[in-house]
Amino acid sequence: MFAKAFAATAAMAVLGVSAASAETYTVREAQSRYVACYERVYVPATVEINTRGELVRAESEEWETRGAHWNRVRNPSVFIQTRRIVEEDHYTLVRKSCPR
């Protein structure tokens, strides 16, 4: 029972201290003529590059001969690279501090 009463008293003391530390005050300050200030920043375009864009020649195998040697070789596929613009280049305004 003593522990509960002590805990309640301690809790009230903490609440009393925190309520006493909260205060309201008024300050005079000069208002700036600037409402908001921004800096213009260039954002380059975002481009997606596909290295396997347009197929020119499919993968194949063939025989290569040199004298009495016969070798089976693989020819990988050949593609033309394609590009797709995901986001155009543009300017964006980034908030910054205003002059005083």
Side-chain angles (χ1 to χ4, degrees):
M1 184 71 173
F2 177 74
K4 287 184 182 178
F6 181 76
T9 305
M12 288 172 41
V14 168
L15 289 176
V17 169
S18 64
S21 65
E23 61 183 63
T24 304
Y25 58 94
T26 305
V27 176
R28 290 189 180 263
E29 64 181 23
Q31 292 291 322
S32 173
R33 68 184 194 98
Y34 298 101
V35 176
C37 299
Y38 297 91
E39 181 179 4
R40 186 176 78 160
V41 177
Y42 177 73
V43 179
T46 304
V47 179
E48 179 183 87
I49 298 174
N50 184 0
T51 58
R52 298 184 74 164
E54 296 177 32
L55 180 66
V56 175
R57 186 178 65 216
E59 182 177 342
S60 64
E61 291 184 354
E62 63 183 51
W63 287 99
E64 185 179 85
T65 58
R66 289 203 176 124
H69 290 92
W70 287 65
N71 299 317
R72 183 85 170 159
V73 295
R74 180 184 73 87
N75 296 319
S77 302
V78 178
F79 294 91
I80 294 176
Q81 178 176 299
T82 59
R83 300 167 57 98
R84 181 177 70 88
I85 297 176
V86 177
E87 182 181 23
E88 296 284 341
D89 62 334
H90 60 280
Y91 288 97
T92 187
L93 297 176
V94 178
R95 189 124 192 201
K96 67 175 200 119
S97 61
C98 294
R100 293 188 171 221

